[in-house]
Short mmCIF file of all heavy atoms in Angstrom, two decimals:
data_model
loop_
_atom_site.label_atom_id
_atom_site.label_comp_id
_atom_site.label_asym_id
_atom_site.label_seq_id
_atom_site.Cartn_x
_atom_site.Cartn_y
_atom_site.Cartn_z
N TYR A 1 26.54 57.00 28.33
CA TYR A 1 25.28 56.90 27.55
C TYR A 1 25.53 56.95 26.07
O TYR A 1 25.87 58.02 25.59
CB TYR A 1 24.28 57.91 27.96
CG TYR A 1 23.97 57.90 29.42
CD1 TYR A 1 24.57 58.82 30.26
CD2 TYR A 1 23.20 56.89 29.98
CE1 TYR A 1 24.33 58.76 31.63
CE2 TYR A 1 23.00 56.84 31.33
CZ TYR A 1 23.57 57.79 32.18
OH TYR A 1 23.34 57.75 33.50
N PRO A 2 25.47 55.90 25.33
CA PRO A 2 25.23 54.55 25.78
C PRO A 2 26.50 54.03 26.50
O PRO A 2 27.61 54.45 26.15
CB PRO A 2 24.97 53.75 24.51
CG PRO A 2 25.68 54.53 23.42
CD PRO A 2 25.61 55.99 23.85
N PRO A 3 26.30 53.14 27.45
CA PRO A 3 27.50 52.70 28.24
C PRO A 3 28.56 51.97 27.37
O PRO A 3 28.25 51.21 26.49
CB PRO A 3 26.84 51.70 29.22
CG PRO A 3 25.41 52.03 29.25
CD PRO A 3 25.05 52.56 27.89
N LYS A 4 29.80 52.29 27.73
CA LYS A 4 30.96 51.59 27.13
C LYS A 4 31.93 51.35 28.33
O LYS A 4 32.51 52.33 28.87
CB LYS A 4 31.65 52.49 26.06
CG LYS A 4 32.73 51.76 25.34
CD LYS A 4 33.34 52.67 24.29
CE LYS A 4 32.40 52.73 23.10
NZ LYS A 4 33.05 53.45 22.00
N VAL A 5 32.04 50.11 28.70
CA VAL A 5 32.82 49.73 29.89
C VAL A 5 34.04 48.95 29.43
O VAL A 5 33.91 47.99 28.65
CB VAL A 5 32.01 48.88 30.86
CG1 VAL A 5 32.81 48.53 32.09
CG2 VAL A 5 30.73 49.61 31.25
N LEU A 6 35.20 49.37 29.88
CA LEU A 6 36.43 48.67 29.61
C LEU A 6 36.70 47.75 30.78
O LEU A 6 36.70 48.17 31.91
CB LEU A 6 37.59 49.62 29.39
CG LEU A 6 37.52 50.35 28.09
CD1 LEU A 6 37.81 51.84 28.36
CD2 LEU A 6 38.54 49.84 27.17
N TYR A 7 37.00 46.47 30.45
CA TYR A 7 37.50 45.51 31.46
C TYR A 7 38.95 45.37 31.19
O TYR A 7 39.34 44.81 30.11
CB TYR A 7 36.74 44.16 31.33
CG TYR A 7 35.35 44.24 31.93
CD1 TYR A 7 34.32 44.81 31.26
CD2 TYR A 7 35.08 43.69 33.15
CE1 TYR A 7 33.04 44.84 31.77
CE2 TYR A 7 33.83 43.73 33.69
CZ TYR A 7 32.79 44.28 33.00
OH TYR A 7 31.58 44.33 33.55
N LEU A 8 39.76 45.85 32.13
CA LEU A 8 41.21 45.84 31.97
C LEU A 8 41.81 44.89 33.01
O LEU A 8 41.31 44.84 34.13
CB LEU A 8 41.78 47.22 32.09
CG LEU A 8 41.15 48.34 31.21
CD1 LEU A 8 41.67 49.68 31.62
CD2 LEU A 8 41.51 47.99 29.74
N TYR A 9 42.84 44.19 32.64
CA TYR A 9 43.52 43.29 33.58
C TYR A 9 44.98 43.67 33.66
O TYR A 9 45.62 44.09 32.67
CB TYR A 9 43.39 41.83 33.08
CG TYR A 9 41.98 41.42 33.02
CD1 TYR A 9 41.23 41.53 31.82
CD2 TYR A 9 41.26 41.00 34.13
CE1 TYR A 9 39.85 41.21 31.77
CE2 TYR A 9 39.92 40.70 34.08
CZ TYR A 9 39.24 40.80 32.92
OH TYR A 9 37.91 40.46 32.85
N GLY A 10 45.54 43.55 34.85
CA GLY A 10 46.92 43.89 35.00
C GLY A 10 47.59 43.34 36.22
O GLY A 10 46.92 42.77 37.10
N GLU A 11 48.87 43.56 36.30
CA GLU A 11 49.65 43.18 37.46
C GLU A 11 50.04 44.42 38.22
O GLU A 11 50.48 45.41 37.69
CB GLU A 11 50.95 42.45 37.00
CG GLU A 11 51.88 42.06 38.12
CD GLU A 11 53.14 41.47 37.63
OE1 GLU A 11 53.32 41.29 36.42
OE2 GLU A 11 53.99 41.12 38.49
N VAL A 12 49.87 44.33 39.57
CA VAL A 12 50.33 45.40 40.47
C VAL A 12 51.83 45.38 40.48
O VAL A 12 52.42 44.39 40.96
CB VAL A 12 49.70 45.24 41.86
CG1 VAL A 12 50.24 46.33 42.80
CG2 VAL A 12 48.20 45.29 41.81
N LEU A 13 52.50 46.43 39.98
CA LEU A 13 53.91 46.50 39.96
C LEU A 13 54.48 47.31 41.17
O LEU A 13 55.56 47.08 41.65
CB LEU A 13 54.42 47.13 38.69
CG LEU A 13 54.16 46.40 37.38
CD1 LEU A 13 54.73 47.16 36.18
CD2 LEU A 13 54.71 45.00 37.42
N ARG A 14 53.71 48.34 41.55
CA ARG A 14 54.21 49.24 42.59
C ARG A 14 53.11 49.70 43.48
O ARG A 14 51.93 49.83 43.07
CB ARG A 14 54.72 50.49 41.77
CG ARG A 14 55.51 51.42 42.57
CD ARG A 14 56.06 52.62 41.73
NE ARG A 14 55.01 53.55 41.48
CZ ARG A 14 54.42 53.77 40.28
NH1 ARG A 14 54.82 53.04 39.24
NH2 ARG A 14 53.46 54.64 40.06
N ILE A 15 53.42 49.90 44.75
CA ILE A 15 52.48 50.35 45.76
C ILE A 15 53.23 51.42 46.56
O ILE A 15 54.27 51.22 47.12
CB ILE A 15 52.05 49.25 46.72
CG1 ILE A 15 51.42 48.08 45.94
CG2 ILE A 15 51.06 49.75 47.72
CD1 ILE A 15 51.30 46.82 46.67
N ASP A 16 52.60 52.65 46.54
CA ASP A 16 53.16 53.74 47.29
C ASP A 16 52.10 54.26 48.26
O ASP A 16 50.90 54.26 47.99
CB ASP A 16 53.55 54.89 46.30
CG ASP A 16 54.68 54.46 45.33
OD1 ASP A 16 55.59 53.74 45.78
OD2 ASP A 16 54.58 54.92 44.19
N ALA A 17 52.58 54.76 49.40
CA ALA A 17 51.70 55.41 50.34
C ALA A 17 51.27 56.78 49.77
O ALA A 17 52.02 57.40 49.02
CB ALA A 17 52.38 55.63 51.70
N VAL A 18 50.11 57.23 50.12
CA VAL A 18 49.62 58.55 49.75
C VAL A 18 49.67 59.41 51.01
O VAL A 18 48.78 59.35 51.81
CB VAL A 18 48.22 58.52 49.17
CG1 VAL A 18 47.73 59.87 48.73
CG2 VAL A 18 48.11 57.49 48.01
N PRO A 19 50.76 60.24 51.14
CA PRO A 19 50.99 60.99 52.38
C PRO A 19 49.80 61.87 52.82
O PRO A 19 49.46 61.88 53.99
CB PRO A 19 52.20 61.82 52.09
CG PRO A 19 52.88 61.18 50.94
CD PRO A 19 51.78 60.52 50.15
N GLU A 20 49.15 62.50 51.86
CA GLU A 20 48.02 63.40 52.21
C GLU A 20 46.72 62.64 52.54
O GLU A 20 45.75 63.24 52.95
CB GLU A 20 47.77 64.42 51.17
CG GLU A 20 47.38 63.94 49.79
CD GLU A 20 48.56 63.50 48.93
OE1 GLU A 20 49.73 63.55 49.35
OE2 GLU A 20 48.27 63.18 47.75
N LYS A 21 46.70 61.33 52.30
CA LYS A 21 45.54 60.50 52.59
C LYS A 21 45.96 59.27 53.34
O LYS A 21 46.21 58.21 52.76
CB LYS A 21 44.86 60.10 51.29
CG LYS A 21 44.25 61.30 50.47
CD LYS A 21 43.59 60.84 49.23
CE LYS A 21 43.03 62.00 48.46
NZ LYS A 21 42.38 61.59 47.21
N PRO A 22 46.06 59.33 54.65
CA PRO A 22 46.43 58.12 55.45
C PRO A 22 45.53 56.92 55.16
O PRO A 22 44.29 57.10 55.01
CB PRO A 22 46.25 58.62 56.91
CG PRO A 22 46.34 60.11 56.80
CD PRO A 22 45.75 60.49 55.47
N GLY A 23 46.15 55.77 55.06
CA GLY A 23 45.39 54.54 54.79
C GLY A 23 45.15 54.30 53.30
O GLY A 23 44.57 53.27 52.97
N MET A 24 45.55 55.19 52.49
CA MET A 24 45.32 55.03 51.03
C MET A 24 46.65 54.62 50.39
O MET A 24 47.75 54.99 50.80
CB MET A 24 44.83 56.32 50.39
CG MET A 24 43.52 56.84 51.02
SD MET A 24 42.18 55.67 50.80
CE MET A 24 41.70 56.04 49.12
N HIS A 25 46.53 53.86 49.25
CA HIS A 25 47.71 53.37 48.55
C HIS A 25 47.57 53.72 47.07
O HIS A 25 46.51 53.62 46.48
CB HIS A 25 47.76 51.81 48.68
CG HIS A 25 47.60 51.35 50.06
ND1 HIS A 25 48.56 51.38 51.03
CD2 HIS A 25 46.56 50.81 50.71
CE1 HIS A 25 48.15 50.91 52.15
NE2 HIS A 25 46.91 50.54 51.99
N LEU A 26 48.68 54.12 46.48
CA LEU A 26 48.72 54.39 45.01
C LEU A 26 49.27 53.14 44.40
O LEU A 26 50.39 52.75 44.66
CB LEU A 26 49.65 55.60 44.76
CG LEU A 26 49.85 55.95 43.29
CD1 LEU A 26 48.49 56.42 42.67
CD2 LEU A 26 50.88 56.97 43.14
N LEU A 27 48.48 52.53 43.50
CA LEU A 27 48.90 51.28 42.78
C LEU A 27 49.38 51.63 41.43
O LEU A 27 48.81 52.46 40.72
CB LEU A 27 47.71 50.34 42.63
CG LEU A 27 46.99 49.86 43.87
CD1 LEU A 27 45.88 48.88 43.47
CD2 LEU A 27 47.92 49.25 44.85
N GLY A 28 50.54 51.10 41.06
CA GLY A 28 51.00 51.16 39.65
C GLY A 28 50.71 49.83 39.00
O GLY A 28 51.19 48.77 39.48
N ILE A 29 49.92 49.85 37.93
CA ILE A 29 49.47 48.61 37.28
C ILE A 29 49.92 48.54 35.83
O ILE A 29 49.77 49.55 35.11
CB ILE A 29 47.93 48.54 37.35
CG1 ILE A 29 47.48 48.53 38.82
CG2 ILE A 29 47.38 47.28 36.65
CD1 ILE A 29 46.01 48.79 39.07
N GLN A 30 50.47 47.44 35.43
CA GLN A 30 50.82 47.18 34.03
C GLN A 30 49.77 46.28 33.45
O GLN A 30 49.50 45.22 33.94
CB GLN A 30 52.21 46.59 33.91
CG GLN A 30 52.60 46.36 32.47
CD GLN A 30 54.02 45.75 32.41
OE1 GLN A 30 54.70 45.54 33.42
NE2 GLN A 30 54.47 45.51 31.20
N PHE A 31 49.17 46.69 32.31
CA PHE A 31 48.14 45.88 31.69
C PHE A 31 48.65 44.59 31.10
O PHE A 31 49.83 44.55 30.62
CB PHE A 31 47.44 46.68 30.59
CG PHE A 31 46.62 47.87 31.11
CD1 PHE A 31 46.60 49.05 30.45
CD2 PHE A 31 45.89 47.77 32.30
CE1 PHE A 31 45.88 50.10 30.86
CE2 PHE A 31 45.19 48.82 32.78
CZ PHE A 31 45.19 50.00 32.05
N GLU A 32 47.79 43.57 31.13
CA GLU A 32 48.10 42.27 30.51
C GLU A 32 46.91 41.93 29.61
O GLU A 32 45.74 42.29 29.92
CB GLU A 32 48.23 41.18 31.61
CG GLU A 32 49.38 41.48 32.53
CD GLU A 32 49.46 40.42 33.62
OE1 GLU A 32 48.43 39.76 33.94
OE2 GLU A 32 50.53 40.28 34.22
N GLY A 33 47.13 41.17 28.57
CA GLY A 33 46.04 40.73 27.73
C GLY A 33 45.33 41.84 26.99
O GLY A 33 44.12 41.77 26.71
N MET A 34 46.12 42.86 26.65
CA MET A 34 45.57 44.05 25.96
C MET A 34 45.35 43.79 24.49
O MET A 34 46.28 43.40 23.81
CB MET A 34 46.48 45.25 26.16
CG MET A 34 46.03 46.52 25.47
SD MET A 34 44.48 47.17 26.15
CE MET A 34 45.02 47.76 27.72
N SER A 35 44.10 43.95 24.05
CA SER A 35 43.80 43.78 22.60
C SER A 35 43.99 45.10 21.93
O SER A 35 43.95 46.16 22.56
CB SER A 35 42.35 43.28 22.44
OG SER A 35 41.43 44.33 22.76
#
């Protein structure tokens, strides 16, 4: 309030399992097109 929303774009570089949360994935993302 007032809203400020960031639209970020990136490439998924890494995917890891989350052992304590079955079915969940930890994504590592590198931003692209960053102003």
Side-chain angles (χ1 to χ4, degrees):
Y1 304 103
K4 187 179 284 187
V5 181
L6 288 133
Y7 283 77
L8 305 171
Y9 299 94
E11 178 183 358
V12 176
L13 296 181
R14 193 179 75 250
I15 302 164
D16 296 322
V18 181
E20 63 275 6
K21 295 181 181 180
M24 302 298 279
H25 312 283
L26 177 68
L27 302 182
I29 300 167
Q30 180 177 0
F31 294 141
E32 298 175 340
M34 179 63 72
S35 70

